[in-house]
Each structure stands twice: as structure tokens, then as C-alpha cells.
Amino acid sequence: MTDTNEKLRSLFLAALMVFSVFAMTTGFAGSAAAASNLNAGTFYSGQDVQFTANNGNTDYQVRTVDDSGDEDQVGSLRRTERSDGDGVIDFTLDNRLSEGDFVIVNADTGEVVNLNNGDEDPVPDGGLTAAYTFEVIPQDLTAEFDDSEVGTSGDAAEVDYEIDSDIRNGYDVNISAEGLDRDELVDIFVENGNAEEIADNVVYDSDNADELRDVNSGENFFDDTEKIQLHNAESDEYVLNFEDINEGNYTFEVEVTDTNANASDTIDVTDTGDASTSFEDGVVTENRGDVANITFQLDNTDDATIQIGDFEDDNYYISAEVTDDDDDGEVSVLFNSYRAGTEDPSEVLTVTGDDELDTASLEQGGSFTDTDEAAGSDILEATDYDMLVVEGHGVTLDEDDDLVEDYDELDTDSQIITNEDDVGTLSLEEASLEDLQIWTAPQEKFNDIEDLDDDETAPVYELVKDGNITQTDEIAIGDVNDVVIVQVEASGFEGLFTDGGDLSTGDYGALSQPADDENENSGPFALTFENADPGANVDSPQQDIDQLSGYKVIYDEANDTHFVAIESSEFADKIDAEDEDEYVANFTVFNNGYGDANNGIDYLGASDLIDADDDSENVTDSTQFLDADATLNNDDDLVVRASADQQIRGTTNVAPGSEVTVRLRSSQSSSPFLLQPSAIVGPNGTFTAVADFSERSPGANFTAQTRVGSAEVGDEIDGTVAGAATASVSISDQDSDGTTVVVDSAQLSDGGFIAIHEGSASGDVIGASDYLAPGSHSDIEVTLDSPQDGDFTAVAMPHLDDDGDETYDFPDNDAPYTDNGTAVTDSADVTVGEEETETETETETETETETETATEMTETETETEPPEETTTGDSGPGFTAVLALIALVAAALLAVRRNN
């Protein structure tokens, strides 16, 4: 009987616990805040909890779990709670219960409560298990705006807002902000149209007070506070909208409804004005057939609608909705005038960068539009077209001026924007064919060009700047095949090579189609090559670029230019080019009506870029193909010194920028050597290789041969190693006025210059002599580059004339003479100064006295004077008695004056 009673009692208590859980989950806001049913789990600081004990009107202790030993035991007392008559205990996890692991103990028996079934048991032999303990931790919480500022209109009024807790999901929060009432919070979170997805989670109306959770009184919540409640607060990142909210600084307070977790963040609301759009350039100018880049700014909005053309005035229009996805405040669209009206609108109007164009909103119309026509067969005329832009989407109007939200409902015959923010002009000008030029590049540069993107022009111009691409009228072929580069200056073709906004020249060859023998069936253009002089009574066959595989086209839309780089080995074979053959490159643009306009043939790919009165337009340039050649040392025998830095000069017709190697090979088996210095061909076809013969014996003979890659180019010449160049120099201490120095002597085996260094051999060069021929020289006056105004040490250093131009241009050329690897020098102290003032005064006095005396003597002389003697100097035979007398008198007068 006792066992039966115990079982019934346990069943009753379990049912009571289940009922209490059910009662809490179905409680309504008008009652006290619902408590969480305490179990062996995790709870959060500040939560109200409840459990039903086995004994009513009994004290129960909340104690810590002592985990200091190997087994968890009952720890220190934190709180005592008394059960009511039904055994129910309610308490709050605050203060001393706000964090830690706890156990419930019957104060009378010392037994611990099993939180899963309500039983009270002695502490198990192995210590407390999880069924007897519960954990309390503080709930973390953040509530943050993505920006510190927000506007009051358009897209600028939107800001991302996130509520987050790392350790808990599915909680509810109350939200308030000082200075904002509940209606304004509702506008921000719900009514302004950007947070409709959370509307069902927000409780903000007293009519829905029964939906509030964990509040003591729904009536008080709505009467006494300016809060809203957000359920499942962490379910999403919210987009709040502050449209028409007063300017100010607002701190949003967020409180979890059932814990003491809270967070806040501040947002600064500033008046940003109305949303609007405007064109960056009021007039955009482009050639017909090209792609116009049209940029417009968006203020306080990310959305805009653009329209190009006008149904009535232009018989053509295209419009689309765009979004500034990268938030940089502007959008750029690309309008392809070559494909306009004849292609799907998604091929005509595209957007650049990370912004978005809604292809579903794209529409083009007007009588000009006929997508059954081939692209380019009818290109928009050269005239001005309206551009219209307005903020927002869904702003196109039908003929009744009703807002059309769905483009499928639009009457396309009347699609217009009537409420535009800004108006601009797209000015299409006639396309033009300006020029063709032939350039060349080293054969090793073709791979660099071939690897470029089709619109990657900067490296091409860098190659031009560096001298690796040069204009030419000669192309080297044979053992060396330089790159042929054809530059065409022509506008109007960018749209032909642009598909969906991406520029691609991969179809260049397929589009290049010359007219047939009947002058018909051409493509839009043709790039061909033909022999300028094939011989008498012979038609020169055309070589079309499409018949080649080794070529790359780089398109420069900014300069209406494209480059066709051709790998010339295949090219030379195709055209059967021989030494001294001259070929003409011809770029022709064909008219849409080329040939017989009445034969009913649709000429595939032809365009109307050029004047309809002309069959075609073309530009040409010519070049001569020459067998690769090189000449060393003017084809004379080569003499080098047994020294380092020996220069071997040559000329070649291979492309400037090419790397050449000069192969220097000993002719004597008794002292073999092989040197292979390299050099780069300059713009004028010259090159200089530098070799080190310092370890070679004078008298050694060798041969010299130019190579490009593995190919031998030009004739081989003979060479001889002579003794090392020698020099000596001597300079003495001297006085100078600071503008010149004098070198006593110099001996230069190979001629050259004397450079004056200041201070030391490594000091600045402050002057250099004129060219000095081989041999000995003395009293060499060197004019300094700028006057020296103080004493200095002059270091005289002989230099070679390496490049033979008799012009001192060290350090680029003209190395110093050396002895055992050290520059030959001599030094002297130079004293810089002017003559003393007293001496100048004496000289002036003597001159005046001599003049006066001479005058007096002249007055006493007879009219007949003796013939003048020819003299060679002051001490020569021409020093007459009269002049001696004058000198004596002058000296006497000077002595008297000094005594006075």
C-alpha cells in the first residue's frame, strides 16, 4: 500500500511540474512576467525561474557546486527560498546567483533535488551529476548600427542594424530611444517600407498587447513607456529607415525581456535633402559606331532609371533601371551605338563595375529598332540624342501618365520618362578613317603582346616608350623574323568589337573580309597586304589577315586606334616575301551598299559607317622586307686592348630593342677563348657590346660574329688583341683665378681627354679638356665647368674616347685609363685668388705717368720722325732710345711721388 501511495504521489508531482510549464508558455501579458521552468540546464543572469518541490512550506537552499575535488560536491549557501503550500518556488537569478553552477538542497534533510524529475536524493557516491545542477551565465548582447550617420530621405535614410548574442538565440527585446516616441520607432522599424519582413515580429500596438512577452502589464507597457518589442530579435540583420525623422543624435537602448542583458548604440540623423540624380557631363560626345560611357551621380539614393533617345524626336530610345551596388554615389552605363536598334537591348546598354542593371527592365523601341537586321547594317545617325535620368525605379509612364510598376504592362510605343531629375545630350559624330602606320618590334616581344588582354593598351605604349616598338619602313626577315605591327587610326569600330559591355577582338580576322572579284560580299572592313611591285602583267594577290593564325589585336578605345601585331615568320611565308620586296598594308572600310544595290543580296557584316555615296574608304602604308643583316666595326678588322670594358660597335637592320650577341672566338688553338657579350639595338640600328679582354694576351687573334638568338647575322670579321691602353699625367701646384687649371703633361696611347676631379679621384668632375689625339701633350689648359671661388685639390685623370665621337661623355662612355685596375691620376693644390688692390693702384699711376710723359715728349718732337722698327718683344731690338728715355723719366717721377 505504501509503495502504491508513493507512486501516486510521484505521478502527481510530475503532472504538477508539466502543468506549471504549460501554464507559463500560455501566460498573457496582463499577468506577471512568466518564469522559466528550472531544470538541469543553462539559464541566464536576471531570469525568473520556478520549480515545484516534493514538500510544501519547506525551506530549500540554493548552493554552489564545489568542483575543487575529483568529485562535484555541495558547496556554499547562496540563497534560501521557501516553497508554498503546493511546493512551488519562484526566484530570480540575480546578485549572488547571477553566475556559476548551482544545486537545490532540502534544508531539513540535506538531500539534493533532481531537477529532471523532482526527486530528492542523498548526494550520490560519485558526487553530483548533471541531473542535480544548473548553470547560470550572463547573456552577452550587442546592438549596433552599421554606420554612425544616417540621412532623412532616399537611400541615405537607410542603415543596417544588427542585434546579436554569441551564447543565446530566440530571445525577445524591448527597444526605446530617448527623443523618439513609439510611432517614430514604428516608422523606423516597419512603416517606412524597408523592414516589412520583420513587421510580424514587432509588437507596437495596444490592440496586440496580448502578444507581449515577459512584461508585468501590457497596459502599463503602452501607457507608461515609448517602447516597442521585437520577438526573435536575432533572426535577421535589419534595415532601418529614418525617412522624415527629425535631425538629432539618438541612442537606441535594447533590453532582453527575460534577462538583465542590455546594449545600446548611437546614430546621428542628419538632413540629407531629397533623393536626386544628375549627369556627370551634360554632353557626352562619341563617334557613331563606338561605345559611349555615360556616368551620372546619385544623391541620397542607390536606384535610378536612365533613358537614351526619344521616341518622337529620334525614332529610337532605350531605358533601364540601375542600382549603385558599390555605394560610390555614381553609375556608369555603356551605350553601344553600333548595335543599337538591331541587337537585343542587353547587348546595347550595360553597366560597368560592381553596379547592377536590371535586364528585365531593359526596353528599346522606336521605328529605328529592328532586331531582325544585322548589327551595323543600320547605325544610329550622327546627331544629338536626349539623355534622361531620374532617381528610383518603376518611374516610366504610359500614355495616360499612370505609374507603371511592371514593365510587362508597358505600352512600348509610349515609353518615356516625364519626371526626370536631369537632362543631358549624347552627341554622335561621324566615324572617321584617319591613318595607317607600320611599326616593328623584336621577335621575342610577340609573346608579350600576345598575352595581353584585348583592351590592355598601357603595355603597348610602354614598349613604344622603351624603344621596343618603333616606326619603320623596313622589316627584317629570313633567319630573324621581326614582329610586324599595323596601327590603324579609325573610329566607329569599338561597338563592333564590344559584346555585352566586354571588348573582344577575337573575331577580328573573321570580320576582315575583302570584297570579291565582283566588288561584292565584303565584310565591314578588311586588312590586307599585297606586293607593291609584283612584276609586269601580274596581279598582286591580296593576303587577308584572316588567313593568318599568328596575330594579336589590341584595341585602344580612348584613342580610336587598334594595333595588329603579326608574327612575321608565318606572314613572310604566306606572302612569299623575299629580300627587298615592298609590301603595302591596306585597311579598307566598306559601305553597306557596296556593289550592285539592286541584286537583292544581303552583304553579311557590311556596315554603313562611311558615307553612302562612297563604295569604300581606305588607308595604306608600305614597308620593305629585307634579309636580316649586321655589320661589325664598319666591316674593318677589329683591334681591342688587353683590358676590361672593350667596346665592339655594330649596326643592324633587325628591330630596335632586339638583343644581339657578339660571338668572339679565339683563332688560335694554343690560347682558346670564347666571349659572348650582348647588347640592345638602339633606335638608329646601332649597338655596342662590351667585352673583358683583361685576361687575354696581346697578339691573340679572334673572329667576331653577330648573332640574334641562334641565327648568325651579317659577316664575320677578324680581330686582334693589342696591349693595354696606357697613359701618364702630371700636374703641379698652381695659382688660378678659378676658371681654368693647367696640366703640365700627358701621354695617351689611344687619345682621349683629361678630366679634372675635385678633391679626390672619386670627387665630382669639374672640367674636362678637349679631345687629345694619341701621343704626348704639354701645358694642357682645362676650362672648368663653373668658376671655383676657393682653394681646391685638382686631380687630373686621363680618359679614353671609347665611342670615338671625340666628345667627353663619361660615365656613359669614355672610361678612365687604368694601371693594374686603378685609374691613372695625378693631383695638385690650386690656389684661387685675385691681385692685390695696392698693386692695381701702382699700375694705374705708372700708366698715367707714362701717358703724360709720352704726351709731353710728343709735343717736343720734330715733325719728322724716324721709321718705326719691327719688334718681337719688350726686350727685343725694337726697344728704341726714345722709349728708354721715357721709361727713365717715368721711373724718376714715380720715385719722387713715393717720397712725397
Side-chain angles (χ1 to χ4, degrees):
M1 185 68 178
T2 303
D3 290 341
T4 302
N5 289 338
E6 288 295 328
K7 290 179 181 178
L8 289 174
R9 183 171 178 275
S10 297
L11 182 62
F12 171 76
L13 291 174
L16 185 61
M17 292 177 69
V18 171
F19 176 78
S20 65
V21 173
F22 176 78
M24 284 185 288
T25 58
T26 57
F28 54 88
S31 61
S36 297
N37 185 50
L38 188 66
N39 56 41
T42 298
F43 295 84
Y44 303 97
S45 304
Q47 279 189 303
D48 292 329
V49 294
Q50 181 186 87
F51 82 98
T52 303
N54 286 348
N55 303 294
N57 300 315
T58 302
D59 286 341
Y60 284 85
Q61 298 173 341
V62 183
R63 289 180 171 269
T64 62
V65 174
D66 182 1
D67 58 0
S68 60
D70 294 336
E71 300 172 352
D72 289 347
Q73 299 295 328
V74 176
S76 60
L77 177 64
R78 289 297 178 90
R79 187 175 298 172
T80 299
E81 298 286 349
R82 188 169 184 80
S83 62
D84 64 12
D86 297 322
V88 176
I89 300 174
D90 293 292
F91 60 95
T92 302
L93 301 177
D94 58 3
N95 299 324
R96 301 182 69 189
L97 300 179
S98 61
E99 186 172 10
D101 292 332
F102 301 97
V103 60
I104 306 296
V105 179
N106 187 316
D108 295 335
T109 66
E111 294 181 328
V112 292
V113 178
N114 185 318
L115 297 175
N116 289 335
N117 57 27
D119 290 347
E120 298 179 9
D121 305 313
V123 176
D125 292 339
L128 295 172
T129 62
Y132 296 98
T133 66
F134 66 96
E135 177 188 33
V136 180
I137 60 175
Q139 180 185 347
D140 69 304
L141 185 71
T142 59
E144 296 177 339
F145 293 100
D146 188 52
D147 293 307
S148 61
E149 293 184 352
V150 68
T152 57
S153 62
D155 294 328
E158 294 180 0
V159 64
D160 291 340
Y161 185 64
E162 183 175 13
I163 300 173
D164 181 63
S165 174
D166 290 336
I167 63 174
R168 189 182 183 193
N169 296 317
Y171 51 90
D172 308 324
V173 296
N174 295 327
I175 301 175
S176 63
E178 186 175 354
L180 296 175
D181 60 27
R182 183 177 294 107
D183 290 340
E184 289 170 317
L185 289 174
V186 171
D187 287 340
I188 292 170
F189 275 85
V190 181
E191 298 296 340
N192 284 345
N194 293 296
E196 293 181 359
E197 69 277 4
I198 68 166
D200 293 339
N201 291 349
V202 180
V203 180
Y204 55 86
D205 193 317
S206 58
D207 292 341
N208 303 108
D210 58 339
E211 297 179 10
L212 291 171
R213 299 172 184 171
D214 299 306
V215 297
N216 290 321
S217 168
E219 182 178 348
N220 292 341
F221 183 88
F222 286 109
D223 290 345
D224 300 338
T225 72
E226 296 293 345
K227 297 179 181 180
I228 60 174
Q229 189 172 99
L230 183 60
H231 295 168
N232 296 317
E234 200 173 338
S235 62
D236 203 351
E237 182 177 274
Y238 307 113
V239 179
L240 307 189
N241 190 303
F242 285 77
E243 186 171 344
D244 297 330
I245 299 298
N246 291 333
E247 287 187 278
N249 194 271
Y250 300 99
T251 298
F252 278 62
E253 303 284 351
V254 178
E255 301 169 337
V256 178
T257 59
D258 64 344
T259 74
N260 57 13
N262 62 84
S264 65
D265 196 16
T266 300
I267 188 80
D268 188 22
V269 180
T270 59
D271 188 356
T272 51
D274 296 331
S276 64
T277 57
S278 60
F279 289 106
E280 180 178 76
D281 297 312
V283 178
V284 176
T285 302
E286 193 54 85
N287 296 102
R288 61 190 297 261
D290 283 336
V291 177
N293 189 321
I294 302 168
T295 300
F296 47 92
Q297 273 80 39
L298 298 86
D299 294 323
N300 304 319
T301 183
D302 288 334
D303 299 328
T305 303
I306 184 171
Q307 177 180 313
I308 301 169
D310 182 85
F311 175 79
E312 293 182 352
D313 295 340
D314 305 321
N315 298 304
Y316 174 79
Y317 67 87
I318 188 169
S319 66
E321 295 176 352
V322 296
T323 300
D324 178 22
D325 267 359
D326 58 10
D327 293 326
D328 63 352
E330 68 177 30
V331 172
S332 294
V333 296
L334 301 177
F335 175 69
N336 190 328
S337 65
Y338 193 96
R339 300 177 183 270
T342 59
E343 293 274 346
D344 184 274
S346 63
E347 306 292 337
V348 178
L349 195 65
T350 56
V351 70
T352 67
D354 296 328
D355 296 329
E356 181 184 351
L357 184 148
D358 182 8
T359 55
S361 71
L362 269 168
E363 292 248 347
Q364 72 176 342
S367 59
F368 175 81
T369 300
D370 185 355
T371 55
D372 292 332
E373 293 285 343
S377 60
D378 194 8
I379 300 174
L380 287 173
E381 292 184 5
T383 188
D384 291 343
Y385 296 85
D386 284 344
M387 301 188 303
L388 305 136
V389 66
V390 62
E391 67 89 12
H393 291 166
V395 296
T396 304
L397 304 178
D398 66 8
E399 58 187 356
D400 298 322
D401 288 347
D402 294 328
L403 188 65
V404 177
E405 296 289 352
D406 186 351
Y407 274 83
D408 293 336
E409 301 174 2
L410 186 65
D411 178 1
T412 57
D413 288 340
S414 59
Q415 181 179 0
I416 55 173
I417 294 175
T418 60
N419 57 339
E420 64 274 3
D421 290 335
D422 196 15
V423 177
T425 299
L426 171 61
S427 180
L428 291 184
E429 298 179 346
E430 291 291 354
S432 64
L433 182 59
E434 299 293 341
D435 195 13
L436 183 148
Q437 296 177 351
I438 296 178
W439 302 66
T440 188
Q443 61 182 4
E444 64 266 20
K445 296 299 179 183
F446 180 75
N447 289 338
D448 295 341
I449 298 172
E450 189 176 34
D451 291 340
L452 297 176
D453 293 336
D454 293 352
D455 59 352
E456 194 175 358
T457 59
V460 176
Y461 291 114
E462 194 67 27
L463 288 171
V464 174
K465 178 182 176 182
D466 293 343
N468 288 304
I469 295 180
T470 53
Q471 261 189 286
T472 186
D473 55 8
E474 295 180 354
I475 302 289
I477 58 172
D479 294 330
V480 176
N481 288 282
D482 290 335
V483 181
V484 179
I485 300 178
V486 179
Q487 178 189 12
V488 179
E489 296 180 43
S491 61
F493 288 97
E494 182 187 355
L496 175 62
F497 298 118
T498 301
D499 187 5
D502 298 322
L503 191 147
S504 172
T505 59
D507 292 333
Y508 189 92
L511 293 167
S512 174
Q513 297 295 325
D516 58 23
D517 292 339
E518 303 298 326
N519 283 339
E520 298 175 355
N521 300 319
S522 67
F525 68 89
L527 176 60
T528 59
F529 303 86
E530 57 184 322
N531 196 320
D533 185 14
N537 304 311
V538 177
D539 290 332
S540 176
Q542 288 185 338
Q543 177 69 48
D544 179 41
I545 191 68
D546 188 36
Q547 296 170 284
L548 301 175
S549 59
Y551 70 91
K552 173 71 175 184
V553 181
I554 305 294
Y555 200 97
D556 178 8
E557 56 87 14
N559 295 298
D560 293 325
T561 295
H562 65 273
F563 299 90
V564 184
I566 305 169
E567 200 280 312
S568 61
S569 59
E570 178 202 14
F571 180 54
D573 290 341
K574 285 278 188 180
I575 63 176
D576 197 22
E578 297 181 354
D579 187 33
E580 298 187 356
D581 281 352
E582 182 177 352
Y583 272 77
V584 177
N586 191 321
F587 185 84
T588 304
V589 182
F590 298 103
N591 191 342
N592 200 24
Y594 196 84
D596 185 357
N598 298 317
N599 65 3
I601 297 176
D602 179 17
Y603 304 122
L604 178 64
S607 73
D608 73 340
L609 272 180
I610 63 172
D611 192 327
D613 294 334
D614 297 325
D615 289 340
S616 63
E617 291 182 7
N618 72 305
V619 286
T620 64
D621 194 12
S622 63
T623 190
Q624 188 177 39
F625 290 97
L626 298 172
D627 288 340
D629 194 15
T631 301
L632 288 173
N633 200 40
N634 293 322
D635 221 14
D636 295 330
D637 287 350
L638 184 64
V639 178
V640 297
R641 296 285 183 177
S643 303
D645 300 326
Q646 297 301 291
Q647 297 185 350
I648 298 98
R649 299 183 182 85
T651 60
T652 182
N653 63 357
V654 301
S658 298
E659 183 178 26
V660 299
T661 301
V662 180
R663 194 169 187 265
L664 307 166
R665 184 175 183 178
S666 170
S667 304
Q668 298 162 310
S669 59
S670 60
S671 56
F673 65 83
L674 177 63
L675 303 176
Q676 299 188 84
S678 61
I680 301 299
V681 179
N684 57 356
T686 62
F687 60 89
T688 301
V690 179
D692 183 0
F693 283 87
S694 61
E695 297 182 4
R696 309 303 158 202
S697 300
N701 296 320
F702 61 90
T703 58
Q705 172 68 61
T706 305
R707 288 190 171 195
V708 179
S710 60
E712 294 184 351
V713 180
D715 295 330
E716 179 182 271
I717 64 170
D718 295 325
T720 301
V721 180
T726 60
S728 62
V729 65
S730 176
I731 185 172
S732 303
D733 294 346
Q734 57 192 274
D735 295 333
S736 170
D737 62 359
T739 62
T740 62
V741 296
V742 177
V743 177
D744 296 337
S745 64
Q747 190 279 326
L748 309 175
S749 66
D750 289 16
F753 315 89
I754 304 296
I756 303 299
H757 293 252
E758 182 183 12
S760 67
S762 60
D764 293 338
V765 175
I766 58 176
S769 71
D770 294 335
Y771 174 74
L772 303 174
S776 299
H777 302 268
S778 60
D779 296 331
I780 306 158
E781 185 175 53
V782 180
T783 301
L784 303 182
D785 296 336
S786 59
Q788 302 296 303
D789 53 9
D791 298 345
F792 64 97
T793 298
V795 178
M797 181 183 295
H799 281 251
L800 294 157
D801 182 23
D802 285 339
D803 52 1
D805 62 357
E806 299 188 1
T807 301
Y808 178 79
D809 49 13
F810 181 81
D812 294 335
N813 294 294
D814 305 339
Y817 279 87
T818 60
D819 182 14
N820 292 325
T822 302
V824 175
T825 62
D826 193 22
S827 61
D829 292 330
V830 179
T831 302
V832 177
E834 298 179 354
E835 296 181 4
E836 297 180 3
T837 305
E838 181 179 347
T839 303
E840 293 177 358
T841 304
E842 292 175 0
T843 303
E844 291 173 2
T845 304
E846 291 173 5
T847 303
E848 291 172 1
T849 304
E850 290 175 4
T851 303
E852 292 171 2
T853 305
T855 303
E856 293 171 1
M857 290 297 295
T858 301
E859 292 174 353
T860 60
E861 288 178 355
T862 61
E863 294 180 0
T864 303
E865 296 181 358
E868 293 182 0
E869 283 189 31
T870 302
T871 64
T872 59
D874 291 346
S875 60
F879 192 81
T880 63
V882 174
L883 293 177
L885 180 59
I886 293 172
L888 289 172
V889 173
L893 290 173
L894 179 60
V896 171
R897 180 176 178 183
R898 285 179 174 171
N899 290 333
N900 292 336

